[in-house]
């Protein structure tokens, strides 16, 4: 998990991982290989992404979920929709997966987020970046999204940019950022015990 106040540099870390920015010092390696030695397309292919800014395009629901992914059977696509928690919604659409989305305003923020999660599931990349901003979503939908995130993260290395610290308690490592630097790192319990920057940040969200 990557946490910190607004402007701490969380998004910059994501941009460096994805090679949207080039590293000017140090190195980022994946399985021992520097990302500088990998074609940018290859770096992009091994990361699945679910970002704060969800987007849909004019096309069928099937096309919106599969995007550029080929070779996914209808049976698997149905499973993905169930895992992402949108199968019930898709079934209610006239034509189901063949429903043509002409205007993304007809899809709620929560449904868009779940469709984006389904898209990442279909992509099936080994690494995952989650920018889990769910501030504009009701509690019930947020729980659905949280369950879908849990399913999506199974068996993958995930980088979660966390806005609500209650979601990072189970992370293996939490990177705490402030003013462009990693100021602390450890598990939730270790960081609370330190009574440092994370401790203050965590308690400020619940005070």
């Amino acid at each position: 998990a990557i946490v910190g106040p607004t402007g701490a540099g969380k998004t910059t870390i994501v941009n460096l991982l994805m090679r949207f920015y080039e590293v000017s010092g140090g190195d980022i390696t994946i399985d021992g290989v520097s990302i500088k030695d990998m074609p940018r397309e290859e770096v992009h292919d091994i990361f699945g992404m679910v970002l704060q800014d969800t987007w849909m395009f004019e096309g069928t629901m099937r096309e919106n979920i599969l995007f550029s992914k080929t070779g996914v059977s209808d049976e698997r696509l149905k499973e993905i929709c169930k895992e992402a928690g949108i199968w019930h919604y898709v079934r209610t659409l006239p034509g189901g997966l063949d429903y043509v989305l002409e205007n993304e305003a007809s899809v709620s923020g929560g449904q868009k987020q779940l469709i984006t999660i389904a898209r990442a599931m279909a992509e099936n990349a080994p690494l995952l970046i989650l920018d889990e901003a769910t501030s504009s979503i009701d509690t019930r939908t947020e729980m659905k999204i949280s369950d879908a995130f849990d399913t999506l993260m199974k068996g993958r290395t995930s980088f979660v940019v966390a806005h609500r610290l209650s979601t990072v308690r189970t992370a293996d490592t939490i990177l705490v950022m402030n003013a462009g630097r990693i100021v602390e790192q450890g598990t939730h319990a270790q960081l609370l015990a330190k009574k440092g920057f994370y401790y203050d940040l965590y308690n400020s969200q619940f005070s």
Side-chain angles (χ1 to χ4, degrees):
I2 307 165
V3 306
T6 304
K10 301 185 292 291
T11 305
T12 303
I13 284 202
V14 169
N15 287 332
L16 287 166
L17 286 170
M18 293 293 293
R19 268 191 77 187
F20 294 142
Y21 300 160
E22 293 297 351
V23 176
S24 57
D27 202 5
I28 296 172
T29 62
I30 298 173
D31 286 341
V33 179
S34 170
I35 61 170
K36 286 184 268 195
D37 298 330
M38 297 165 74
R40 194 167 285 167
E41 294 71 31
E42 191 183 339
V43 176
H44 294 175
D45 284 348
I46 56 179
F47 277 102
M49 294 182 91
V50 179
L51 301 180
Q52 233 171 313
D53 301 321
T54 55
W55 51 271
M56 311 283 293
F57 55 87
E58 196 175 312
T60 64
M61 193 54 79
R62 176 187 276 102
E63 287 164 345
N64 265 283
I65 295 168
L66 292 180
F67 192 40
S68 57
K69 185 78 176 169
T70 55
V72 180
S73 70
D74 273 8
E75 202 46 50
R76 177 64 192 131
L77 184 53
K78 186 175 164 182
E79 275 174 35
I80 287 166
C81 290
K82 284 179 178 174
E83 285 169 10
I86 53 162
W87 182 241
H88 176 72
Y89 167 67
V90 170
R91 268 195 341 200
T92 63
L93 298 170
L97 286 163
D98 295 314
Y99 173 74
V100 178
L101 196 75
E102 289 171 358
N103 178 2
E104 70 168 291
S106 63
V107 185
S108 72
Q111 299 294 8
K112 273 190 213 162
Q113 185 77 289
L114 291 169
I115 289 163
T116 311
I117 292 169
R119 199 179 280 158
M121 285 175 174
E123 207 177 324
N124 202 22
L127 302 174
L128 190 61
I129 292 171
L130 297 180
D131 193 345
E132 53 87 315
T134 50
S135 53
S136 59
I137 287 159
D138 64 81
T139 311
R140 191 161 162 228
T141 309
E142 188 177 347
M143 283 166 71
K144 224 176 185 182
I145 288 170
S146 181
D147 289 345
F149 274 154
D150 289 345
T151 306
L152 179 57
M153 287 193 284
K154 279 195 180 87
R156 290 185 173 88
T157 299
S158 305
F159 297 87
V160 182
V161 178
H163 304 264
R164 297 190 186 183
L165 298 187
S166 56
T167 62
V168 306
R169 288 188 282 229
T170 56
D172 302 299
T173 303
I174 300 169
L175 302 179
V176 187
M177 297 197 70
N178 191 33
R181 305 217 166 272
I182 295 170
V183 291
E184 291 176 335
Q185 68 183 74
T187 63
H188 174 69
Q190 287 166 345
L191 291 167
L192 282 185
K194 268 187 183 173
K195 296 205 169 177
F197 191 79
Y198 178 84
Y199 176 86
D200 291 341
L201 200 63
Y202 187 78
N203 284 320
S204 72
Q205 284 203 0
F206 299 101
S207 60

